[in-house]
Amino acid sequence: MTTRQPVVAIDGPAGSGKSTVAQLLARRAGLQFISSGAMYRAVALTALREGTAAMSPERLAAIAAALPIRFTTDAAGTVRTWLGDEDVTDALRRTDVTEVAAVIAKIPAVRAHLVARQRAYGAEGGIVMEGRDIQTVVFPDAEIKVFLDASAEERATRRWKELRAAGSPESYATVLADVRARDRSDRERAVAPLHAAPDAITLNTDGLSIDAVVAKLQEIVEAWRTPR
Ligand code: C5P
């Protein structure tokens, strides 16, 4: 018999660094990593490829139900997302996919199918999953729940620096307005709005490096693993 490993449920606003941090935590703590956002993005990518006819709630729910998604880890330790035999990791980051994902994530039938799959991934424990409703809806009984927060200004600064490094001309004010709009959309939506579960550990990452955040999370996992 092997000891059960924890489900680590991590939520937070866009740009809080949760994807990077959750992936590193999973690798260092020997747990599997799943990005639930990649699943919403994969539904969006499939719908975009099928064209406008795919945008009815019924068709989107059918796409979510039959999504041929799987995750692998490459030699560098980066998680890759696949749809059938196609590596869609990079395609999922496209701006049009991001925009459509935010819309389809509001459809209850799409969420129901994806939530069922997310629960199946975590049924045996040993997983780090990040998203918006993981500690509240998907795994309300997760062994470890974390809400990773950061101020809108800090998240906009991080994003603006990334864009500038990539040669994009957006002003800081535009990026900050985008961050605030995405926050409103995530926090104020009717289904599965983003919020911290009452029993979650909230970590504010303002001014903290990625390594410092991962180290804090590793401490939390190790404390859980230490017999009381
Ligand atoms: O985290 P990421 O930006 O990849 O999420 C893509 C989209 O899916 C976002 O619009 C987000 O609000 C939505 N999402 C969600 N529930 C989750 C994860 C992501 O509604 N658990």
Side-chain angles (χ1 to χ4, degrees), residues 183-220:
D183 280 0
R184 266 196 304 281
S185 165
D186 278 344
R187 290 180 202 264
E188 293 172 14
R189 70 187 179 195
V191 268
L194 172 69
H195 66 92
D199 54 349
I201 298 167
T202 294
L203 253 180
N204 190 308
T205 69
D206 280 10
L208 289 184
S209 68
I210 286 168
D211 264 340
V213 178
V214 176
K216 272 184 193 283
L217 294 176
Q218 267 185 290
E219 270 173 32
I220 294 169

PDB file of all heavy atoms in Angstrom, residues 183-220:
ATOM      1  N   ASP A 183     -10.006  40.598 -14.296  1.00  0.00           N
ATOM      2  CA  ASP A 183     -10.371  40.344 -12.896  1.00  0.00           C
ATOM      3  C   ASP A 183     -11.883  40.439 -12.702  1.00  0.00           C
ATOM      4  O   ASP A 183     -12.485  39.600 -12.052  1.00  0.00           O
ATOM      5  CB  ASP A 183      -9.726  41.392 -11.975  1.00  0.00           C
ATOM      6  CG  ASP A 183      -8.270  41.078 -11.685  1.00  0.00           C
ATOM      7  OD1 ASP A 183      -7.772  40.058 -12.201  1.00  0.00           O
ATOM      8  OD2 ASP A 183      -7.637  41.862 -10.955  1.00  0.00           O
ATOM      9  N   ARG A 184     -12.462  41.506 -13.284  1.00  0.00           N
ATOM     10  CA  ARG A 184     -13.916  41.674 -13.149  1.00  0.00           C
ATOM     11  C   ARG A 184     -14.637  40.481 -13.741  1.00  0.00           C
ATOM     12  O   ARG A 184     -15.555  39.924 -13.143  1.00  0.00           O
ATOM     13  CB  ARG A 184     -14.364  42.958 -13.862  1.00  0.00           C
ATOM     14  CG  ARG A 184     -14.432  44.164 -12.943  1.00  0.00           C
ATOM     15  CD  ARG A 184     -15.237  45.304 -13.560  1.00  0.00           C
ATOM     16  NE  ARG A 184     -14.722  45.698 -14.859  1.00  0.00           N
ATOM     17  CZ  ARG A 184     -13.657  46.483 -15.053  1.00  0.00           C
ATOM     18  NH1 ARG A 184     -12.990  46.972 -14.018  1.00  0.00           N
ATOM     19  NH2 ARG A 184     -13.262  46.793 -16.264  1.00  0.00           N
ATOM     20  N   SER A 185     -14.192  40.066 -14.955  1.00  0.00           N
ATOM     21  CA  SER A 185     -14.836  38.954 -15.636  1.00  0.00           C
ATOM     22  C   SER A 185     -14.728  37.669 -14.797  1.00  0.00           C
ATOM     23  O   SER A 185     -15.686  36.910 -14.678  1.00  0.00           O
ATOM     24  CB  SER A 185     -14.178  38.801 -17.014  1.00  0.00           C
ATOM     25  OG  SER A 185     -14.487  37.581 -17.590  1.00  0.00           O
ATOM     26  N   ASP A 186     -13.579  37.414 -14.170  1.00  0.00           N
ATOM     27  CA  ASP A 186     -13.391  36.187 -13.379  1.00  0.00           C
ATOM     28  C   ASP A 186     -14.136  36.246 -12.046  1.00  0.00           C
ATOM     29  O   ASP A 186     -14.697  35.255 -11.597  1.00  0.00           O
ATOM     30  CB  ASP A 186     -11.898  35.970 -13.075  1.00  0.00           C
ATOM     31  CG  ASP A 186     -11.151  35.319 -14.234  1.00  0.00           C
ATOM     32  OD1 ASP A 186     -11.801  34.760 -15.140  1.00  0.00           O
ATOM     33  OD2 ASP A 186      -9.908  35.372 -14.227  1.00  0.00           O
ATOM     34  N   ARG A 187     -14.121  37.432 -11.401  1.00  0.00           N
ATOM     35  CA  ARG A 187     -14.667  37.515 -10.040  1.00  0.00           C
ATOM     36  C   ARG A 187     -16.168  37.752 -10.006  1.00  0.00           C
ATOM     37  O   ARG A 187     -16.833  37.428  -9.034  1.00  0.00           O
ATOM     38  CB  ARG A 187     -13.975  38.647  -9.262  1.00  0.00           C
ATOM     39  CG  ARG A 187     -12.525  38.353  -8.919  1.00  0.00           C
ATOM     40  CD  ARG A 187     -11.932  39.519  -8.151  1.00  0.00           C
ATOM     41  NE  ARG A 187     -10.490  39.553  -8.223  1.00  0.00           N
ATOM     42  CZ  ARG A 187      -9.682  39.044  -7.286  1.00  0.00           C
ATOM     43  NH1 ARG A 187     -10.180  38.475  -6.225  1.00  0.00           N
ATOM     44  NH2 ARG A 187      -8.373  39.112  -7.423  1.00  0.00           N
ATOM     45  N   GLU A 188     -16.704  38.347 -11.072  1.00  0.00           N
ATOM     46  CA  GLU A 188     -18.116  38.732 -11.022  1.00  0.00           C
ATOM     47  C   GLU A 188     -19.014  37.834 -11.843  1.00  0.00           C
ATOM     48  O   GLU A 188     -20.211  38.053 -11.921  1.00  0.00           O
ATOM     49  CB  GLU A 188     -18.268  40.195 -11.468  1.00  0.00           C
ATOM     50  CG  GLU A 188     -17.621  41.144 -10.456  1.00  0.00           C
ATOM     51  CD  GLU A 188     -17.574  42.585 -10.942  1.00  0.00           C
ATOM     52  OE1 GLU A 188     -18.264  42.914 -11.923  1.00  0.00           O
ATOM     53  OE2 GLU A 188     -16.812  43.374 -10.338  1.00  0.00           O
ATOM     54  N   ARG A 189     -18.468  36.805 -12.469  1.00  0.00           N
ATOM     55  CA  ARG A 189     -19.321  35.947 -13.298  1.00  0.00           C
ATOM     56  C   ARG A 189     -20.240  35.115 -12.410  1.00  0.00           C
ATOM     57  O   ARG A 189     -19.929  34.844 -11.233  1.00  0.00           O
ATOM     58  CB  ARG A 189     -18.475  35.068 -14.214  1.00  0.00           C
ATOM     59  CG  ARG A 189     -17.695  33.995 -13.507  1.00  0.00           C
ATOM     60  CD  ARG A 189     -16.766  33.285 -14.473  1.00  0.00           C
ATOM     61  NE  ARG A 189     -16.002  32.257 -13.791  1.00  0.00           N
ATOM     62  CZ  ARG A 189     -14.936  31.673 -14.300  1.00  0.00           C
ATOM     63  NH1 ARG A 189     -14.489  32.010 -15.498  1.00  0.00           N
ATOM     64  NH2 ARG A 189     -14.306  30.731 -13.628  1.00  0.00           N
ATOM     65  N   ALA A 190     -21.378  34.686 -13.006  1.00  0.00           N
ATOM     66  CA  ALA A 190     -22.394  33.987 -12.214  1.00  0.00           C
ATOM     67  C   ALA A 190     -21.941  32.577 -11.836  1.00  0.00           C
ATOM     68  O   ALA A 190     -22.175  32.120 -10.714  1.00  0.00           O
ATOM     69  CB  ALA A 190     -23.700  33.920 -13.005  1.00  0.00           C
ATOM     70  N   VAL A 191     -21.280  31.876 -12.776  1.00  0.00           N
ATOM     71  CA  VAL A 191     -20.852  30.500 -12.476  1.00  0.00           C
ATOM     72  C   VAL A 191     -19.398  30.473 -12.041  1.00  0.00           C
ATOM     73  O   VAL A 191     -18.532  31.049 -12.690  1.00  0.00           O
ATOM     74  CB  VAL A 191     -20.982  29.550 -13.702  1.00  0.00           C
ATOM     75  CG1 VAL A 191     -22.313  28.856 -13.733  1.00  0.00           C
ATOM     76  CG2 VAL A 191     -20.665  30.255 -14.989  1.00  0.00           C
ATOM     77  N   ALA A 192     -19.160  29.777 -10.933  1.00  0.00           N
ATOM     78  CA  ALA A 192     -17.805  29.544 -10.425  1.00  0.00           C
ATOM     79  C   ALA A 192     -16.929  30.795 -10.438  1.00  0.00           C
ATOM     80  O   ALA A 192     -15.846  30.807 -11.005  1.00  0.00           O
ATOM     81  CB  ALA A 192     -17.132  28.418 -11.231  1.00  0.00           C
ATOM     82  N   PRO A 193     -17.386  31.879  -9.800  1.00  0.00           N
ATOM     83  CA  PRO A 193     -16.543  33.081  -9.752  1.00  0.00           C
ATOM     84  C   PRO A 193     -15.274  32.826  -8.932  1.00  0.00           C
ATOM     85  O   PRO A 193     -15.272  31.963  -8.055  1.00  0.00           O
ATOM     86  CB  PRO A 193     -17.438  34.117  -9.072  1.00  0.00           C
ATOM     87  CG  PRO A 193     -18.397  33.332  -8.266  1.00  0.00           C
ATOM     88  CD  PRO A 193     -18.628  32.039  -9.015  1.00  0.00           C
ATOM     89  N   LEU A 194     -14.235  33.574  -9.257  1.00  0.00           N
ATOM     90  CA  LEU A 194     -12.963  33.416  -8.548  1.00  0.00           C
ATOM     91  C   LEU A 194     -13.044  34.008  -7.152  1.00  0.00           C
ATOM     92  O   LEU A 194     -13.375  35.179  -6.987  1.00  0.00           O
ATOM     93  CB  LEU A 194     -11.868  34.151  -9.341  1.00  0.00           C
ATOM     94  CG  LEU A 194     -10.506  34.258  -8.672  1.00  0.00           C
ATOM     95  CD1 LEU A 194      -9.826  32.898  -8.586  1.00  0.00           C
ATOM     96  CD2 LEU A 194      -9.624  35.250  -9.429  1.00  0.00           C
ATOM     97  N   HIS A 195     -12.793  33.199  -6.145  1.00  0.00           N
ATOM     98  CA  HIS A 195     -12.620  33.734  -4.780  1.00  0.00           C
ATOM     99  C   HIS A 195     -11.863  32.711  -3.950  1.00  0.00           C
ATOM    100  O   HIS A 195     -11.786  31.525  -4.322  1.00  0.00           O
ATOM    101  CB  HIS A 195     -13.965  34.096  -4.130  1.00  0.00           C
ATOM    102  CG  HIS A 195     -14.859  32.928  -3.863  1.00  0.00           C
ATOM    103  ND1 HIS A 195     -14.857  32.260  -2.675  1.00  0.00           N
ATOM    104  CD2 HIS A 195     -15.761  32.294  -4.639  1.00  0.00           C
ATOM    105  CE1 HIS A 195     -15.745  31.264  -2.723  1.00  0.00           C
ATOM    106  NE2 HIS A 195     -16.299  31.267  -3.913  1.00  0.00           N
ATOM    107  N   ALA A 196     -11.320  33.153  -2.836  1.00  0.00           N
ATOM    108  CA  ALA A 196     -10.587  32.238  -1.959  1.00  0.00           C
ATOM    109  C   ALA A 196     -11.578  31.429  -1.131  1.00  0.00           C
ATOM    110  O   ALA A 196     -12.543  31.989  -0.607  1.00  0.00           O
ATOM    111  CB  ALA A 196      -9.667  33.031  -1.042  1.00  0.00           C
ATOM    112  N   ALA A 197     -11.360  30.121  -1.019  1.00  0.00           N
ATOM    113  CA  ALA A 197     -12.187  29.310  -0.119  1.00  0.00           C
ATOM    114  C   ALA A 197     -11.897  29.771   1.305  1.00  0.00           C
ATOM    115  O   ALA A 197     -10.791  30.237   1.597  1.00  0.00           O
ATOM    116  CB  ALA A 197     -11.815  27.836  -0.282  1.00  0.00           C
ATOM    117  N   PRO A 198     -12.900  29.660   2.213  1.00  0.00           N
ATOM    118  CA  PRO A 198     -12.682  30.147   3.584  1.00  0.00           C
ATOM    119  C   PRO A 198     -11.487  29.476   4.258  1.00  0.00           C
ATOM    120  O   PRO A 198     -10.814  30.087   5.097  1.00  0.00           O
ATOM    121  CB  PRO A 198     -13.983  29.778   4.313  1.00  0.00           C
ATOM    122  CG  PRO A 198     -14.966  29.401   3.264  1.00  0.00           C
ATOM    123  CD  PRO A 198     -14.238  29.103   1.994  1.00  0.00           C
ATOM    124  N   ASP A 199     -11.195  28.227   3.892  1.00  0.00           N
ATOM    125  CA  ASP A 199     -10.088  27.508   4.541  1.00  0.00           C
ATOM    126  C   ASP A 199      -8.820  27.475   3.682  1.00  0.00           C
ATOM    127  O   ASP A 199      -7.935  26.664   3.923  1.00  0.00           O
ATOM    128  CB  ASP A 199     -10.519  26.081   4.904  1.00  0.00           C
ATOM    129  CG  ASP A 199     -11.084  25.319   3.707  1.00  0.00           C
ATOM    130  OD1 ASP A 199     -11.342  25.958   2.663  1.00  0.00           O
ATOM    131  OD2 ASP A 199     -11.245  24.095   3.806  1.00  0.00           O
ATOM    132  N   ALA A 200      -8.731  28.361   2.684  1.00  0.00           N
ATOM    133  CA  ALA A 200      -7.517  28.396   1.852  1.00  0.00           C
ATOM    134  C   ALA A 200      -6.436  29.228   2.531  1.00  0.00           C
ATOM    135  O   ALA A 200      -6.734  30.138   3.307  1.00  0.00           O
ATOM    136  CB  ALA A 200      -7.834  28.988   0.488  1.00  0.00           C
ATOM    137  N   ILE A 201      -5.195  28.909   2.212  1.00  0.00           N
ATOM    138  CA  ILE A 201      -4.072  29.749   2.628  1.00  0.00           C
ATOM    139  C   ILE A 201      -3.907  30.796   1.539  1.00  0.00           C
ATOM    140  O   ILE A 201      -3.711  30.438   0.378  1.00  0.00           O
ATOM    141  CB  ILE A 201      -2.781  28.907   2.722  1.00  0.00           C
ATOM    142  CG1 ILE A 201      -2.938  27.823   3.778  1.00  0.00           C
ATOM    143  CG2 ILE A 201      -1.563  29.798   2.986  1.00  0.00           C
ATOM    144  CD1 ILE A 201      -1.849  26.753   3.730  1.00  0.00           C
ATOM    145  N   THR A 202      -4.034  32.087   1.888  1.00  0.00           N
ATOM    146  CA  THR A 202      -3.835  33.126   0.874  1.00  0.00           C
ATOM    147  C   THR A 202      -2.391  33.607   0.920  1.00  0.00           C
ATOM    148  O   THR A 202      -1.875  33.943   1.983  1.00  0.00           O
ATOM    149  CB  THR A 202      -4.809  34.300   1.090  1.00  0.00           C
ATOM    150  OG1 THR A 202      -6.133  33.834   0.864  1.00  0.00           O
ATOM    151  CG2 THR A 202      -4.531  35.436   0.102  1.00  0.00           C
ATOM    152  N   LEU A 203      -1.758  33.573  -0.246  1.00  0.00           N
ATOM    153  CA  LEU A 203      -0.364  34.030  -0.354  1.00  0.00           C
ATOM    154  C   LEU A 203      -0.332  35.231  -1.268  1.00  0.00           C
ATOM    155  O   LEU A 203      -0.707  35.124  -2.439  1.00  0.00           O
ATOM    156  CB  LEU A 203       0.456  32.922  -1.022  1.00  0.00           C
ATOM    157  CG  LEU A 203       1.421  32.107  -0.189  1.00  0.00           C
ATOM    158  CD1 LEU A 203       2.128  31.073  -1.048  1.00  0.00           C
ATOM    159  CD2 LEU A 203       2.425  33.009   0.486  1.00  0.00           C
ATOM    160  N   ASN A 204       0.061  36.382  -0.753  1.00  0.00           N
ATOM    161  CA  ASN A 204       0.210  37.548  -1.617  1.00  0.00           C
ATOM    162  C   ASN A 204       1.636  37.566  -2.152  1.00  0.00           C
ATOM    163  O   ASN A 204       2.582  37.571  -1.375  1.00  0.00           O
ATOM    164  CB  ASN A 204      -0.110  38.834  -0.845  1.00  0.00           C
ATOM    165  CG  ASN A 204      -0.189  40.004  -1.799  1.00  0.00           C
ATOM    166  OD1 ASN A 204       0.725  40.243  -2.585  1.00  0.00           O
ATOM    167  ND2 ASN A 204      -1.287  40.721  -1.748  1.00  0.00           N
ATOM    168  N   THR A 205       1.759  37.537  -3.472  1.00  0.00           N
ATOM    169  CA  THR A 205       3.090  37.375  -4.075  1.00  0.00           C
ATOM    170  C   THR A 205       3.735  38.701  -4.477  1.00  0.00           C
ATOM    171  O   THR A 205       4.788  38.697  -5.096  1.00  0.00           O
ATOM    172  CB  THR A 205       3.018  36.458  -5.314  1.00  0.00           C
ATOM    173  OG1 THR A 205       2.305  37.135  -6.354  1.00  0.00           O
ATOM    174  CG2 THR A 205       2.339  35.146  -5.000  1.00  0.00           C
ATOM    175  N   ASP A 206       3.104  39.833  -4.113  1.00  0.00           N
ATOM    176  CA  ASP A 206       3.705  41.136  -4.439  1.00  0.00           C
ATOM    177  C   ASP A 206       5.144  41.181  -3.904  1.00  0.00           C
ATOM    178  O   ASP A 206       5.377  40.914  -2.730  1.00  0.00           O
ATOM    179  CB  ASP A 206       2.921  42.286  -3.787  1.00  0.00           C
ATOM    180  CG  ASP A 206       1.673  42.636  -4.580  1.00  0.00           C
ATOM    181  OD1 ASP A 206       1.320  41.872  -5.502  1.00  0.00           O
ATOM    182  OD2 ASP A 206       1.042  43.668  -4.271  1.00  0.00           O
ATOM    183  N   GLY A 207       6.084  41.491  -4.781  1.00  0.00           N
ATOM    184  CA  GLY A 207       7.474  41.643  -4.353  1.00  0.00           C
ATOM    185  C   GLY A 207       8.206  40.333  -4.095  1.00  0.00           C
ATOM    186  O   GLY A 207       9.366  40.343  -3.712  1.00  0.00           O
ATOM    187  N   LEU A 208       7.539  39.192  -4.294  1.00  0.00           N
ATOM    188  CA  LEU A 208       8.207  37.898  -4.072  1.00  0.00           C
ATOM    189  C   LEU A 208       8.657  37.310  -5.404  1.00  0.00           C
ATOM    190  O   LEU A 208       7.933  37.395  -6.399  1.00  0.00           O
ATOM    191  CB  LEU A 208       7.242  36.899  -3.410  1.00  0.00           C
ATOM    192  CG  LEU A 208       6.850  37.123  -1.959  1.00  0.00           C
ATOM    193  CD1 LEU A 208       5.961  35.971  -1.482  1.00  0.00           C
ATOM    194  CD2 LEU A 208       8.087  37.200  -1.075  1.00  0.00           C
ATOM    195  N   SER A 209       9.825  36.678  -5.425  1.00  0.00           N
ATOM    196  CA  SER A 209      10.283  36.014  -6.648  1.00  0.00           C
ATOM    197  C   SER A 209       9.525  34.698  -6.804  1.00  0.00           C
ATOM    198  O   SER A 209       8.934  34.185  -5.841  1.00  0.00           O
ATOM    199  CB  SER A 209      11.779  35.731  -6.554  1.00  0.00           C
ATOM    200  OG  SER A 209      12.003  34.744  -5.568  1.00  0.00           O
ATOM    201  N   ILE A 210       9.564  34.151  -8.019  1.00  0.00           N
ATOM    202  CA  ILE A 210       8.931  32.853  -8.271  1.00  0.00           C
ATOM    203  C   ILE A 210       9.496  31.805  -7.324  1.00  0.00           C
ATOM    204  O   ILE A 210       8.758  31.034  -6.708  1.00  0.00           O
ATOM    205  CB  ILE A 210       9.137  32.453  -9.748  1.00  0.00           C
ATOM    206  CG1 ILE A 210       8.214  33.304 -10.624  1.00  0.00           C
ATOM    207  CG2 ILE A 210       8.868  30.965  -9.983  1.00  0.00           C
ATOM    208  CD1 ILE A 210       8.493  33.234 -12.094  1.00  0.00           C
ATOM    209  N   ASP A 211      10.833  31.807  -7.166  1.00  0.00           N
ATOM    210  CA  ASP A 211      11.461  30.823  -6.293  1.00  0.00           C
ATOM    211  C   ASP A 211      10.996  30.945  -4.852  1.00  0.00           C
ATOM    212  O   ASP A 211      10.805  29.937  -4.171  1.00  0.00           O
ATOM    213  CB  ASP A 211      12.993  30.968  -6.343  1.00  0.00           C
ATOM    214  CG  ASP A 211      13.591  29.988  -7.327  1.00  0.00           C
ATOM    215  OD1 ASP A 211      12.908  28.998  -7.646  1.00  0.00           O
ATOM    216  OD2 ASP A 211      14.727  30.215  -7.786  1.00  0.00           O
ATOM    217  N   ALA A 212      10.811  32.186  -4.405  1.00  0.00           N
ATOM    218  CA  ALA A 212      10.376  32.390  -3.022  1.00  0.00           C
ATOM    219  C   ALA A 212       8.958  31.842  -2.826  1.00  0.00           C
ATOM    220  O   ALA A 212       8.649  31.226  -1.797  1.00  0.00           O
ATOM    221  CB  ALA A 212      10.424  33.875  -2.667  1.00  0.00           C
ATOM    222  N   VAL A 213       8.102  32.035  -3.829  1.00  0.00           N
ATOM    223  CA  VAL A 213       6.718  31.534  -3.723  1.00  0.00           C
ATOM    224  C   VAL A 213       6.721  30.002  -3.736  1.00  0.00           C
ATOM    225  O   VAL A 213       6.051  29.353  -2.921  1.00  0.00           O
ATOM    226  CB  VAL A 213       5.831  32.089  -4.861  1.00  0.00           C
ATOM    227  CG1 VAL A 213       4.419  31.523  -4.770  1.00  0.00           C
ATOM    228  CG2 VAL A 213       5.802  33.614  -4.832  1.00  0.00           C
ATOM    229  N   VAL A 214       7.515  29.420  -4.656  1.00  0.00           N
ATOM    230  CA  VAL A 214       7.575  27.953  -4.742  1.00  0.00           C
ATOM    231  C   VAL A 214       8.104  27.379  -3.424  1.00  0.00           C
ATOM    232  O   VAL A 214       7.582  26.383  -2.919  1.00  0.00           O
ATOM    233  CB  VAL A 214       8.452  27.489  -5.938  1.00  0.00           C
ATOM    234  CG1 VAL A 214       8.577  25.975  -5.964  1.00  0.00           C
ATOM    235  CG2 VAL A 214       7.873  27.989  -7.254  1.00  0.00           C
ATOM    236  N   ALA A 215       9.122  28.036  -2.855  1.00  0.00           N
ATOM    237  CA  ALA A 215       9.695  27.548  -1.593  1.00  0.00           C
ATOM    238  C   ALA A 215       8.633  27.551  -0.485  1.00  0.00           C
ATOM    239  O   ALA A 215       8.538  26.607   0.304  1.00  0.00           O
ATOM    240  CB  ALA A 215      10.889  28.406  -1.194  1.00  0.00           C
ATOM    241  N   LYS A 216       7.803  28.603  -0.437  1.00  0.00           N
ATOM    242  CA  LYS A 216       6.741  28.667   0.578  1.00  0.00           C
ATOM    243  C   LYS A 216       5.748  27.515   0.384  1.00  0.00           C
ATOM    244  O   LYS A 216       5.310  26.879   1.336  1.00  0.00           O
ATOM    245  CB  LYS A 216       5.981  29.990   0.472  1.00  0.00           C
ATOM    246  CG  LYS A 216       6.599  31.103   1.294  1.00  0.00           C
ATOM    247  CD  LYS A 216       5.726  32.345   1.218  1.00  0.00           C
ATOM    248  CE  LYS A 216       6.443  33.570   1.753  1.00  0.00           C
ATOM    249  NZ  LYS A 216       6.513  33.640   3.210  1.00  0.00           N
ATOM    250  N   LEU A 217       5.383  27.263  -0.881  1.00  0.00           N
ATOM    251  CA  LEU A 217       4.425  26.193  -1.165  1.00  0.00           C
ATOM    252  C   LEU A 217       5.022  24.823  -0.836  1.00  0.00           C
ATOM    253  O   LEU A 217       4.329  23.945  -0.324  1.00  0.00           O
ATOM    254  CB  LEU A 217       3.994  26.244  -2.636  1.00  0.00           C
ATOM    255  CG  LEU A 217       3.194  27.494  -3.033  1.00  0.00           C
ATOM    256  CD1 LEU A 217       2.899  27.495  -4.520  1.00  0.00           C
ATOM    257  CD2 LEU A 217       1.888  27.585  -2.247  1.00  0.00           C
ATOM    258  N   GLN A 218       6.329  24.668  -1.130  1.00  0.00           N
ATOM    259  CA  GLN A 218       6.988  23.397  -0.794  1.00  0.00           C
ATOM    260  C   GLN A 218       6.954  23.151   0.711  1.00  0.00           C
ATOM    261  O   GLN A 218       6.726  22.035   1.156  1.00  0.00           O
ATOM    262  CB  GLN A 218       8.438  23.427  -1.256  1.00  0.00           C
ATOM    263  CG  GLN A 218       8.628  22.843  -2.649  1.00  0.00           C
ATOM    264  CD  GLN A 218      10.100  22.779  -3.000  1.00  0.00           C
ATOM    265  OE1 GLN A 218      10.719  23.822  -3.203  1.00  0.00           O
ATOM    266  NE2 GLN A 218      10.655  21.588  -3.047  1.00  0.00           N
ATOM    267  N   GLU A 219       7.160  24.240   1.474  1.00  0.00           N
ATOM    268  CA  GLU A 219       7.095  24.119   2.939  1.00  0.00           C
ATOM    269  C   GLU A 219       5.720  23.627   3.371  1.00  0.00           C
ATOM    270  O   GLU A 219       5.591  22.807   4.269  1.00  0.00           O
ATOM    271  CB  GLU A 219       7.298  25.496   3.588  1.00  0.00           C
ATOM    272  CG  GLU A 219       8.719  25.847   3.896  1.00  0.00           C
ATOM    273  CD  GLU A 219       8.822  27.291   4.374  1.00  0.00           C
ATOM    274  OE1 GLU A 219       7.874  27.807   5.014  1.00  0.00           O
ATOM    275  OE2 GLU A 219       9.851  27.928   4.064  1.00  0.00           O
ATOM    276  N   ILE A 220       4.678  24.163   2.717  1.00  0.00           N
ATOM    277  CA  ILE A 220       3.308  23.772   3.077  1.00  0.00           C
ATOM    278  C   ILE A 220       3.094  22.287   2.782  1.00  0.00           C
ATOM    279  O   ILE A 220       2.537  21.543   3.587  1.00  0.00           O
ATOM    280  CB  ILE A 220       2.281  24.652   2.315  1.00  0.00           C
ATOM    281  CG1 ILE A 220       2.388  26.110   2.791  1.00  0.00           C
ATOM    282  CG2 ILE A 220       0.864  24.130   2.495  1.00  0.00           C
ATOM    283  CD1 ILE A 220       1.632  27.120   1.937  1.00  0.00           C
TER     284      ILE A 220
END
